[in-house]
Amino acid sequence: MKGCEWCNLSEEDKKYLLSDTEYWTVYLADEQDYIGRCIIILKRHCGSLPELTDDEWMELFLLIKKYEKCIKTVFDAELCNWSCLMNNFYKSPEPCPHIHIHVRPRYKKPVVINGNTYLDNHFGHHYSSGETEQMCSKEDIQTIYGLMKKWLNS
């Protein structure tokens, strides 16, 4: 759909593709403020969860199970926060909402990537956009992506 950011991803936006299923695509978020943070995007334009088909719901359920297991296995996440926040779409005078799900892994213990230590200083509390003190380097993001892709393809 014209004007929809998720329907018009650039090749750069797609560089961290983790999965491509019948109804959904999954990307590692390019901002790793939470190690393993991903975005699951519905392949068709759809503005609200009640509009999902039964098949889309089932596939989403299976993806959630798969990705939560991946993140817990690969990075030892304590839990995952799953959210479908549509607020940003409505900041525009002409909203163009598109279903997508964020996963934000949460960590009780430090996560070490390439010798760099990442802490979830707000573990046990709601996350807030821009609240984390540290962001991953490009090299660490590549490592995170590689580790997840390897686990998902095994």
Side-chain angles (χ1 to χ4, degrees):
M1 175 175 262
K2 189 175 180 181
C4 174
E5 66 181 90
W6 296 118
C7 290
N8 297 293
L9 292 174
S10 70
E11 289 309 308
E12 177 68 15
D13 293 331
K14 297 176 183 178
K15 69 182 173 189
Y16 293 125
L17 176 68
L18 288 166
S19 292
D20 188 15
T21 65
E22 185 173 353
Y23 302 109
W24 302 90
T25 51
V26 184
Y27 297 96
L28 182 71
D30 56 357
E31 292 181 3
Q32 286 295 294
D33 45 352
Y34 295 89
I35 303 299
R37 180 178 165 209
C38 296
I39 302 169
I40 302 174
I41 305 166
L42 185 63
K43 284 186 173 181
R44 70 177 176 91
H45 194 85
C46 176
S48 68
L49 288 170
E51 295 175 25
L52 293 177
T53 67
D54 290 345
D55 289 340
E56 290 166 343
W57 274 113
M58 181 52 67
E59 194 173 86
L60 177 61
F61 169 71
L62 295 172
L63 283 170
I64 288 170
K65 285 178 63 169
K66 183 177 186 176
Y67 275 82
E68 189 153 323
K69 185 171 182 176
C70 173
I71 292 164
K72 287 181 174 184
T73 302
V74 174
F75 302 114
D76 200 27
E78 188 73 21
L79 62 106
C80 293
N81 291 152
W82 296 89
S83 59
C84 180
L85 304 173
M86 305 294 280
N87 300 317
N88 284 344
F89 290 111
Y90 289 91
K91 291 178 182 177
S92 168
E94 294 183 36
C96 189
H98 187 132
I99 294 295
H100 63 288
I101 312 293
H102 293 267
V103 57
R104 287 180 175 85
R106 302 305 302 268
Y107 298 92
K108 193 181 270 190
K109 299 178 259 179
V111 180
V112 179
I113 308 289
N114 297 328
N116 298 311
T117 301
Y118 298 95
L119 304 172
D120 185 347
N121 291 321
H122 301 284
F123 178 78
H125 300 277
H126 292 284
Y127 61 87
S128 178
S129 183
E131 189 174 272
T132 57
E133 296 84 26
Q134 53 192 351
M135 295 294 279
C136 286
S137 68
K138 289 186 187 305
E139 295 78 21
D140 288 354
I141 293 171
Q142 276 299 132
T143 298
I144 293 164
Y145 175 72
L147 290 168
M148 290 182 71
K149 193 84 168 153
K150 182 179 177 183
W151 189 92
L152 291 164
N153 291 329
S154 63

